[in-house]
Amino acid sequence: MAKRNLNDLLSFVTVAREGSFTRAAAILGVTQSALSQTISGLEAKLDIRLLTRTTRSVSPTAAGERLLDAIGHRFDEIEAELDELTEMRDKPAGTVRITCGDHVLRTTLLPKLAPLLLEYPDIKAEFDVNYGFRDIVADRFDAGVRLGDTIDKDMIAVPIGPPLRMAAVAAPSYFATRPKPKTPRDLVDHNCINMRMQSGGGLYVWEFERKGNQLNVRVDGQLTLNTSPNIVDAALAGLGIAHLPEEEFAPHIEEGRLIRVLADWCAPFSGYYLYYPSRRQPSPAFSLVVNALRITPDKPK
């Protein structure tokens, strides 16, 4: 029997996992037409249809699912073994993929990793900015970043930032015609800027705590947004009260562009953590990234 072309099988696995010829072609570094011809050639050699193609999606047939289950993890094992070979090199190398939010990327990840990337030019970092809860195993990320109390128990969690506090703020122009809220319950009478959560689609419930008493408030207002930079901009424009981690507003509060309210109702909570599967065998490049990001409780930010 003639030997199978492993490149053809890798092309099939990539298309089946991505559900898209366009994304798979970008990952493999080939043209979409060339990839389509490769898959068609593989199906012709096997004399069986592996993928169902529509104008909107690509999905494995029953035979394709069987083949994917049989060989997909083997390519992952090969890739992991090749990554481990970097231990035999003088310089760590490889790509580390991390999914995170844009604020922690700007304020924590990039500043901490910039010296590492300059020191090790063979290490590459890829960031996926996403506000939802990505499945880092299924989506083939090396790690993700979340607040400590939202991480699954079967993950390794490494602290990368100090405890956080939320802040409720609005522009001076907003409070020029409205009284400042004295308690979180007063927010129901204000124009508040809502956040639509990408994981589930619901509206974020504003959480407050003072002296152990917790109070959640469902606010209302004219604006609903799903990214924190836009919420900050809306608050600066005087469009309502916003509620985000205080770091998002810090320079604007210090310079008087935003006024903070309900500060005594904003207790510290667990900060950002880098998390990854406990069964993952870290590569030297990944270990360097983790060590560059890690903090200890008594270490200053």
Side-chain angles (χ1 to χ4, degrees):
M1 178 182 293
K3 291 184 179 180
R4 307 294 185 193
N5 188 328
L6 292 181
N7 286 333
D8 292 352
L9 295 175
L10 176 59
S11 296
F12 161 72
V13 169
T14 306
V15 174
R17 283 177 168 173
E18 293 297 321
S20 164
F21 275 93
T22 301
R23 291 196 298 270
I27 291 173
L28 294 170
V30 299
T31 64
Q32 186 175 343
S33 60
L35 181 58
S36 179
Q37 291 177 6
T38 297
I39 298 300
S40 297
L42 178 61
E43 290 176 328
K45 292 175 185 176
L46 297 176
D47 195 24
I48 192 167
R49 177 70 67 181
L50 299 174
L51 297 171
T52 299
R53 305 164 175 82
T54 69
T55 57
R56 294 186 177 181
S57 65
V58 179
S59 59
T61 63
E65 285 283 3
R66 179 174 177 178
L67 180 60
L68 181 62
D69 290 342
I71 69 172
H73 68 284
R74 300 188 186 277
F75 281 104
D76 293 337
E77 291 170 358
I78 292 172
E79 184 175 357
E81 291 294 333
L82 291 175
D83 286 341
E84 289 185 16
L85 288 178
T86 60
E87 295 180 0
M88 301 175 64
R89 298 179 49 175
D90 293 334
K91 296 181 180 179
T95 300
V96 177
R97 302 182 69 232
I98 300 175
T99 180
C100 60
D102 62 349
H103 180 258
V104 72
L105 174 60
R106 287 184 284 107
T107 61
T108 302
L109 300 183
L110 286 180
K112 286 189 172 186
L113 292 180
L116 177 70
L117 296 175
L118 292 172
E119 183 178 356
Y120 296 95
D122 291 333
I123 294 179
K124 299 179 180 179
E126 178 180 341
F127 298 102
D128 169 77
V129 175
N130 194 287
Y131 288 85
F133 284 177
R134 298 291 296 269
D135 184 335
I136 62 172
V137 176
D139 294 337
R140 305 178 72 189
F141 288 101
D142 293 293
V145 175
R146 289 186 193 170
L147 296 176
D149 57 359
T150 64
I151 298 174
D152 295 336
K153 299 301 182 183
D154 61 344
M155 294 283 174
I156 294 177
V158 177
I160 63 172
L164 299 176
R165 291 180 69 203
M166 298 298 286
V169 304
S173 60
Y174 176 83
F175 286 129
T177 57
R178 301 169 180 84
K180 296 177 183 177
K182 296 181 179 180
T183 73
R185 291 186 179 88
D186 294 338
L187 292 170
V188 299
D189 297 322
H190 280 269
N191 196 3
C192 295
I193 303 169
N194 260 310
M195 170 177 275
R196 178 77 65 185
M197 304 300 290
Q198 293 189 8
S199 55
L203 294 178
Y204 171 65
V205 177
W206 293 16
E207 301 174 348
F208 297 91
E209 181 181 345
R210 187 176 69 173
K211 298 179 181 179
N213 297 319
Q214 296 182 348
L215 182 61
N216 295 345
V217 181
R218 292 188 179 276
V219 300
D220 194 16
Q222 292 177 283
L223 274 181
T224 299
L225 302 165
N226 68 347
T227 61
S228 56
N230 290 329
I231 291 177
V232 174
D233 289 343
L236 289 169
L239 295 174
I241 299 178
H243 189 244
L244 290 171
E246 61 183 357
E247 288 186 349
E248 300 269 10
F249 304 125
H252 305 298
I253 295 174
E254 292 172 2
E255 297 178 15
R257 292 188 293 271
L258 292 173
I259 297 174
R260 184 170 188 172
V261 295
L262 303 174
D264 58 334
W265 279 92
C266 296
F269 60 93
S270 180
Y272 287 110
Y273 282 70
L274 184 82
Y275 68 97
Y276 54 94
S278 57
R279 63 181 179 275
R280 188 187 193 282
Q281 180 65 36
S283 68
F286 183 75
S287 296
L288 285 172
V289 167
V290 173
N291 289 334
L293 295 174
R294 184 194 308 270
I295 66 165
T296 56
D298 58 347
K299 182 178 178 180
K301 182 181 175 184

